């Protein structure tokens, strides 16, 4: 797992596909998720990552360099706070898809 830039806590990610090649070692902990993402058409071009924000962690405000990426947010336990642009959201056991080119932060 590689690390992200946080105000506090731990934020990491796993790369699970690279330009059409699924990385089987990284998919071992989450085979069902990798299978569903592959079936849905993810990973054909570019890279696919699983990003993990651990409880009580907070990210710095950040953006993606372009809008050719989608973030799929799936809280595992409890709720997650998200600020995207000027909107504050509580995500509780919902899947949310966002355009990461907008400034955002998670906690």
């Amino acid at each position: 797992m590689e690390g992200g830039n946080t105000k506090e806590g731990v934020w990491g990610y796993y790369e699970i596909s690279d330009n059409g090649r699924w990385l089987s070692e990284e998919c071992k902990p989450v085979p069902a998720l990798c299978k569903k993402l592959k079936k849905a058409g993810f990973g054909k071009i570019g890279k696919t990552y699983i990003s993990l924000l651990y409880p009580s962690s907070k990210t710095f405000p950040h953006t993606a360099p372009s809008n050719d990426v989608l973030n799929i947010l799936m809280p595992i336990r409890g709720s997650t706070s998200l600020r995207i642009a000027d909107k504050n959201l509580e995500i509780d056991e919902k899947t949310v898809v966002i355009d990461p080119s907008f400034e955002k932060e998670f906690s």
Side-chain angles (χ1 to χ4, degrees):
M1 178 171 75
E2 302 212 19
N5 193 4
T6 59
K7 289 181 185 178
E8 54 187 78
V10 178
W11 178 27
Y13 62 90
Y14 297 88
E15 182 179 335
I16 58 172
S17 79
D18 185 7
N19 288 316
R21 184 175 59 88
W22 285 83
L23 308 173
S24 59
E25 226 20 67
E26 282 72 14
C27 280
K28 277 185 181 176
V30 288
L33 178 60
C34 286
K35 184 177 179 180
K36 286 180 182 184
L37 290 172
K38 188 174 182 179
K39 186 176 179 179
F42 287 88
K44 291 181 181 178
I45 58 172
K47 297 177 184 276
T48 306
Y49 296 93
I50 295 174
S51 180
L52 304 167
L53 184 67
Y54 286 78
S56 302
S57 298
K58 296 179 181 179
T59 68
F60 286 104
H62 60 285
T63 61
S66 71
N67 65 353
D68 65 348
V69 175
L70 291 176
N71 283 16
I72 302 172
L73 311 172
M74 299 180 292
I76 304 300
R77 281 182 245 139
S79 66
T80 298
S81 297
L82 165 66
R83 182 193 58 79
I84 183 161
D86 62 350
K87 299 202 185 308
N88 293 303
L89 305 168
E90 279 291 318
I91 303 168
D92 188 15
E93 299 180 14
K94 296 178 217 160
T95 299
V96 178
V97 179
I98 65 168
D99 172 349
S101 66
F102 290 97
E103 184 179 81
K104 65 201 162 298
E105 59 187 312
F106 305 98
S107 60

